[in-house]
Amino acid sequence: MTVAAENFSFWYGEKQALHDITLSIADRQITALIGPSGCGKSTFLRSINRLQELLPGTRHTGLIALDGEDIHDRSMDVVGLRQRVGMVFQRWNLFPKSIYDNVAYGPKINGVSDREELDGIVERSLRRAALWEEVRDRLRQSALGLSGGQQQRLCIARALANDPEVLLLDEPASALDPIATQRIEELLYELRKDLSIVIVTHNLQQAGRVADSIAFFYLGRLIEAGPTQQLFTSPAQEQTEAYITGRFG
């Protein structure tokens, strides 16, 4: 699933957060959005499945397309869009329910009621999130009893339960310890075999480890985008070099 933005701009009321973003995100690759706080990374990420428009007073111009299909077209089913484009937030936002019910929630909302089918979705999603072996014997226990890293992987499993084509992650490891962070990174590397992944991260080392390509945002503008090694070793823009070498940010 390819994602393409063309001259995409976004406003919160009178404040313009994004300016004419044109960016292509390749199928079955990990694209990392980097840049200092407040530069528009998360706004762009959440615009890919139209989460930002839930806030009052927002508007946009330009285009974001999934495989050539305008996500803002009047014929677009927004619920269906958010099934195709899953989202995982910085802080795990689990429901105060069992591990099983957290994963099964989306499929149930989408009309799956057969218990055997739900069981299969839950197991498959937990396996894909590298969590099944750790929780298989306590599926009926509260999800809130899991460790931070496990809760974040459960959030990923919950997103995967809807069988998305694109997975969006907004700093998914920023609150995790190094071991849990490594598990998340290893998981993303496996998931990229089946999904297009877009991740916002402030951790340049993490971006270098997991991403196939990098997009550098600054003050609501896309300064530069390209393959990870190229952007880190020979950036075309002086602002990019200043950021990745730590001269600002």
Side-chain angles (χ1 to χ4, degrees):
M1 170 66 70
T2 58
V3 180
E6 184 175 344
N7 297 321
F8 184 78
S9 298
F10 192 90
W11 287 261
Y12 297 99
E14 297 299 316
K15 180 182 178 182
Q16 187 169 359
L18 295 174
H19 299 259
D20 299 317
I21 305 298
T22 295
L23 177 65
S24 294
I25 294 168
D27 184 32
R28 299 187 184 187
Q29 288 195 7
I30 300 175
T31 300
L33 310 183
I34 66 171
S37 297
C39 68
K41 306 183 300 294
S42 292
T43 294
F44 179 72
L45 185 81
R46 298 180 187 208
S47 294
I48 297 174
N49 70 352
R50 295 176 58 175
L51 273 181
Q52 288 302 84
E53 69 182 41
L54 296 175
L55 300 173
T58 60
R59 63 186 178 93
H60 79 277
T61 59
L63 174 75
I64 295 179
L66 297 181
D67 279 349
E69 184 179 6
D70 182 0
I71 68 169
H72 294 98
D73 189 274
R74 291 184 179 181
S75 64
M76 175 63 68
D77 174 12
V78 180
V79 174
L81 170 67
R82 292 175 185 146
Q83 292 173 15
R84 296 169 63 192
V85 184
M87 181 82 194
V88 177
F89 297 95
Q90 178 178 4
R91 294 295 302 184
W92 41 92
N93 56 339
L94 295 174
F95 305 128
K97 299 175 179 288
S98 70
I99 295 168
Y100 183 101
D101 287 337
N102 266 273
V103 181
Y105 180 82
K108 285 181 179 179
I109 291 294
N110 295 323
V112 178
S113 58
D114 180 76
R115 182 56 179 272
E116 186 173 341
E117 184 177 358
L118 283 172
D119 288 349
I121 291 172
V122 170
E123 179 175 348
R124 184 168 60 253
S125 302
L126 289 170
R127 285 188 182 279
R128 292 181 72 191
L131 193 57
W132 173 253
E133 296 301 329
E134 298 171 43
V135 303
R136 60 185 300 175
D137 296 326
R138 44 180 173 149
L139 295 178
R140 299 300 171 184
Q141 296 179 19
S142 172
L144 303 182
L146 297 175
S147 69
Q150 288 174 324
Q151 288 192 40
Q152 189 62 295
R153 278 184 283 145
L154 183 57
C155 288
I156 294 173
R158 189 172 62 186
L160 294 175
N162 289 321
D163 200 22
E165 300 160 77
V166 180
L167 187 62
L168 311 175
L169 303 107
D170 195 352
E171 298 193 65
S174 63
L176 301 179
D177 62 49
I179 294 175
T181 296
Q182 182 180 358
R183 295 294 301 275
I184 294 292
E185 292 177 1
E186 291 170 349
L187 170 59
L188 296 183
Y189 201 73
E190 287 298 312
L191 290 175
R192 70 192 274 273
K193 297 175 183 177
D194 304 310
L195 299 167
S196 302
I197 297 174
V198 188
I199 178 172
V200 166
T201 179
H202 278 103
N203 187 325
L204 293 180
Q205 290 76 25
Q206 181 177 75
R209 288 191 298 266
V210 305
D212 300 288
S213 60
I214 302 285
F216 171 54
F217 283 68
Y218 183 61
L219 297 179
R221 300 183 185 277
L222 176 62
I223 305 301
E224 185 174 353
T228 300
Q229 184 175 4
Q230 174 188 316
L231 192 133
F232 276 176
T233 58
S234 55
Q237 302 298 321
E238 184 177 341
Q239 285 174 307
T240 310
E241 183 177 7
Y243 181 73
I244 63 178
T245 56
R247 295 206 298 274
F248 81 93

